[in-house]
Amino acid sequence: MSAKHYFLGIDIGSTTSKCVIVDDKNNIVGKSLKTGGAGTKSPEEVVQESLNQAQLSSKDVEISCATGYGRKLINWTDYELSELSCHAIGGKYLFPGVRTIIDIGGQDAKVLKLDEHGSMTKFIMNDKCAAGTGRFLDMMANAFGGKSSDLSSYDEKSESIAQISSTCSVFAESEVISKLASGESLPNIVAGVHESVVDRTVSLVKRAGIVEPVAMTGGVTLNTSLVKRLEKRLDVTIHTSPIAQYNGALGAALYAKSKFEE
Ligand code: ADP
């Protein structure tokens, strides 16, 4: 195969849209991420930005594949594939030899188990409830007028953990507000919020059964304090990547490439 073919993956998530373009040597030649998922302009914007970055036009894309919550809302890709399959393909590429992938995105949390060949053997998913997902963190940050991207630096300043006992995000939000009103420090409250997400993640991981090496993907990976807390509780090293949030789109692009090679 000459090095002139390009494959596009798009992941239309609940909160963000991601696009990745790979060449036939698996190099990532363009990528883009924007807030806004299904029903927004973000999907078409991330595609255009990725093409621009790769100095390509849409005609240069050999095969495309869509994944994510909103994948059925676009009809121009050649293929669509479930998020789970794409995360397994992307995870195998980003973390060679990985056996457990923990993915925490905007509206769900999932644990994927891979065998020694990188094939998915099991998954456990929480997509019924905001607790333990990025949405929970977004709501808690919003309760004190902040953003999810602020949470890690607050937690770094925590001296103890202010227990957040409600798992329901609506009640937990009230708890955050009342703890703030009663004078509890914000860093300690954020530590409590993080521990609550860690609790949920640990129980998901335990149900799946952990096998090392372990990697984490999804937007919540950017919350380094939370990842450290999860590592401590699971007592394992969690591998991450600066492009962990692109894992689904990357998997979709690699799947598109595999279809070309068939
Ligand atoms: P989806 O694919 O469902 O849209 P993502 O994997 O993109 O979800 O993850 C989105 C979540 O990641 C957000 O809800 C937010 O909690 C978290 N997140 C995004 N950016 C950051 C950041 N810079 N720091 C911490 N958390 C972040």
Side-chain angles (χ1 to χ4, degrees):
M1 188 160 63
S2 74
K4 288 283 177 206
H5 302 99
Y6 299 98
F7 307 94
L8 181 147
I10 179 163
D11 177 3
I12 306 175
S14 61
T15 54
T16 58
S17 297
K18 284 84 60 173
C19 180
V20 169
I21 301 174
V22 297
D23 66 14
D24 36 16
K25 293 202 166 70
N26 283 350
N27 299 308
I28 297 174
V29 294
K31 64 175 171 45
S32 172
L33 178 150
K34 277 191 184 294
T35 305
T40 71
K41 280 194 163 13
S42 295
E44 62 189 72
E45 287 173 359
V46 291
V47 168
Q48 196 50 54
E49 277 194 14
S50 304
L51 288 169
N52 293 348
Q53 209 182 84
Q55 297 183 315
L56 297 172
S57 86
S58 56
K59 291 194 199 79
D60 298 314
V61 173
E62 202 74 43
I63 301 181
S64 57
C65 177
T67 189
Y69 168 77
R71 68 182 184 276
K72 295 199 190 296
L73 297 176
I74 54 168
N75 55 10
W76 52 264
T77 58
D78 301 302
Y79 292 93
E80 56 154 281
L81 190 66
S82 79
E83 266 184 282
L84 286 163
S85 300
C86 288
H87 276 283
I89 297 168
K92 181 182 167 188
Y93 173 87
L94 280 185
F95 312 102
V98 69
R99 301 294 299 274
T100 307
I101 301 171
I102 302 166
D103 179 80
I104 312 184
Q107 76 161 17
D108 64 30
K110 39 192 177 284
V111 179
L112 280 69
K113 301 276 297 288
L114 308 188
D115 66 15
E116 62 274 30
H117 309 294
S119 302
M120 186 170 60
T121 53
K122 187 174 183 176
F123 72 87
I124 303 273
M125 191 157 174
N126 161 28
D127 59 356
K128 300 276 179 284
C129 165
T133 71
R135 173 102 183 97
F136 181 85
L137 293 163
D138 299 344
M139 285 176 75
M140 298 312 121
N142 195 42
F144 64 82
K147 299 191 293 288
S148 278
S149 50
D150 305 329
L151 294 172
S152 190
S153 54
Y154 279 114
D155 190 351
E156 280 165 18
K157 299 186 197 86
S158 63
E159 286 162 350
S160 62
I161 298 165
Q163 193 74 32
I164 304 292
S165 47
S166 315
T167 46
C168 168
S169 39
V170 177
F171 291 131
E173 196 173 25
S174 314
E175 228 181 309
V176 166
I177 293 165
S178 77
K179 280 197 194 300
L180 274 173
S182 66
E184 181 61 86
S185 90
L186 185 52
N188 293 353
I189 295 173
V190 171
V193 165
H194 284 170
E195 282 298 325
S196 160
V197 173
V198 168
D199 281 346
R200 306 287 290 202
T201 312
V202 167
S203 74
L204 217 55
V205 172
K206 293 222 159 121
R207 275 168 57 205
I210 194 160
V211 179
E212 290 185 77
V214 180
M216 183 165 161
T217 59
V220 174
T221 313
L222 297 167
N223 185 333
T224 49
S225 296
L226 192 147
V227 177
K228 276 188 207 147
R229 287 186 181 278
L230 188 57
E231 275 189 314
K232 201 168 158 195
R233 288 277 294 282
L234 291 172
D235 195 24
V236 294
T237 299
I238 297 180
H239 300 276
T240 60
S241 157
I243 58 163
Q245 198 173 2
Y246 291 85
N247 191 42
L250 173 63
L254 294 172
Y255 177 77
K257 177 171 168 269
S258 74
K259 287 303 203 188
F260 184 69
E261 288 163 348
E262 269 178 4

